[in-house]
Amino acid sequence: MIYVFTALYCEAYPIIQYLGLKRRQDINRFQLFSDDRVSLLITGTGSLNAAIGVTSLFSLFSPGSGDILLNTGICGTDNMNLKKGTPVLCNKIIDLATFKSVYPDMLYRHPFAEGTVLTSPVPVTAGTEKRYNGPGITVTDMEAYGIFCAGSIFLQPHQMFFIKTVSDYESGEQLNGMQVSELLSANVDKIFGWIMPIHDELSKRRVSVFSDEEKTLLEKAAEAMKITVSMRHQLNQMMRYHKLLHGGFTAELTNFLEDRLKKPCKTKNEGKKCFEELRKRFV
């Protein structure tokens, strides 16, 4: 199942229309629309409402390793080079209330701009003190951090995706529901055309796709790079993805180990650098 969370009905409407989702009458607390593959829940605005919505739905339906969480909707930015309607896939989420950061795994090639989303407890305008000047693209919303925190209780970081569509330049501009829906409608086909195959792949992973030889090679790579348990999980996901696309990875990974890892990494920092090189080669 692909679980989609939006804050507002006008953000959900283009998806409901595109997929032909139907309202579930047995769920009263939230508006829930679904078919046999997608469930979309409207949480209301703000991190708290978003977290409650995710927790409520997942407590009812118990998502598993083959499921996906997608949070989509509008966002603001002070980057005038980003055109309105640009979809941004978020690789980092910062809570502006606590300045804590979380990181969705970026394991898949994608056609989107990539950036950081700042989740604010109030709408961000030009006068709002954000206290974040990191590199790259930055956008703002009010739900992503709460959705990630609640979602991470049930799912792994590689199962959660946050795609925000630029709607304003933090000038205090007010968009009506129709304008919001029009902005998001332009990206629905692109988003679901990308995420549906990922869901198909994750569903297949419920059955192991690795041979004994491949498992031994992956263990050898993990030990040589001295990577953490979380990074071992990412390594397995990358290699599954690569195998499903290309039929195998044994020769390429063996060459990588012989070329880059003639000697095992001595420190965690060395291991992280090596892991990043491997990720760039295989993703």
Side-chain angles (χ1 to χ4, degrees):
M1 184 67 71
I2 299 174
Y3 294 98
V4 183
F5 296 92
T6 69
L8 305 169
Y9 179 79
C10 57
E11 294 174 322
Y13 181 75
I15 301 171
I16 294 169
Q17 292 296 107
Y18 179 78
L19 297 175
L21 304 181
K22 302 300 182 183
R23 176 76 185 269
R24 288 280 299 266
Q25 300 299 328
D26 55 333
I27 305 295
N28 297 319
R29 174 62 179 85
F30 297 96
Q31 294 183 72
L32 177 65
F33 301 81
S34 65
D35 62 11
D36 59 353
R37 196 173 184 186
V38 175
S39 288
L40 184 153
L41 186 138
I42 300 169
T43 66
T45 57
S47 265
L48 181 58
N49 284 331
I52 292 171
V54 172
T55 304
S56 297
L57 188 64
F58 284 176
S59 295
L60 286 174
F61 293 103
S62 300
S65 60
D67 297 319
I68 278 177
L69 179 157
L70 170 65
N71 173 220
T72 190
I74 58 172
C75 65
T77 185
D78 57 7
N79 185 341
M80 301 296 290
N81 293 320
L82 281 178
K83 293 183 179 180
K84 289 184 180 181
T86 300
V88 178
L89 178 64
C90 304
N91 56 23
K92 182 178 182 180
I93 304 169
I94 301 175
D95 178 32
L96 289 182
T98 62
F99 282 89
K100 292 182 178 179
S101 300
V102 292
Y103 301 86
D105 284 343
M106 306 297 288
L107 300 180
Y108 303 96
R109 295 182 189 274
H110 61 82
F112 307 106
E114 193 172 315
T116 297
V117 59
L118 311 178
T119 296
S120 172
V122 295
V124 174
T125 60
T128 305
E129 183 184 2
K130 290 187 284 191
R131 290 186 290 161
Y132 175 79
N133 296 303
I137 292 172
T138 302
V139 299
T140 56
D141 86 331
M142 296 178 66
E143 292 81 32
Y145 184 78
I147 287 175
F148 184 97
C149 290
S152 64
I153 298 172
F154 303 89
L155 301 171
Q156 298 295 324
H158 72 276
Q159 295 174 263
M160 296 189 287
F161 301 90
F162 298 80
I163 302 177
K164 302 293 181 175
T165 295
V166 175
S167 64
D168 64 87
Y169 297 112
E170 300 174 359
S171 62
E173 176 185 358
Q174 298 291 320
L175 277 69
N176 61 40
M178 183 177 296
Q179 290 172 315
V180 170
S181 293
E182 287 176 353
L183 276 173
L184 296 173
S185 291
N187 294 324
V188 171
D189 183 66
K190 185 176 184 180
I191 291 171
F192 281 89
W194 176 70
I195 211 164
M196 288 289 193
I198 295 175
H199 176 252
D200 292 342
E201 176 209 335
L202 287 175
S203 297
K204 293 175 184 177
R205 290 181 187 176
R206 292 175 179 176
V207 178
S208 177
V209 297
F210 295 140
S211 66
D212 290 342
E213 180 186 7
E214 289 167 337
K215 291 177 182 178
T216 300
L217 186 58
L218 288 171
E219 184 63 26
K220 180 180 177 181
E223 290 178 357
M225 290 186 289
K226 297 186 182 300
I227 56 178
T228 64
V229 172
S230 176
M231 292 168 74
R232 283 175 182 251
H233 181 74
Q234 291 181 47
L235 173 64
N236 288 342
Q237 302 302 330
M238 284 190 288
M239 293 302 108
R240 284 192 182 100
Y241 181 57
H242 191 84
K243 181 174 180 178
L244 288 168
L245 286 180
H246 304 287
F249 58 82
T250 302
E252 291 176 81
L253 185 54
T254 299
N255 290 337
F256 177 83
L257 293 175
E258 292 176 351
D259 177 44
R260 180 62 180 84
L261 290 175
K262 294 177 181 178
K263 294 182 180 180
C265 297
K266 295 181 179 180
T267 67
K268 288 184 178 180
N269 284 335
E270 285 184 10
K272 287 180 180 179
K273 290 179 181 179
C274 188
F275 182 77
E276 183 60 24
E277 290 179 24
L278 184 147
R279 189 180 76 84
K280 289 178 179 178
R281 182 176 297 192
F282 282 90
V283 174

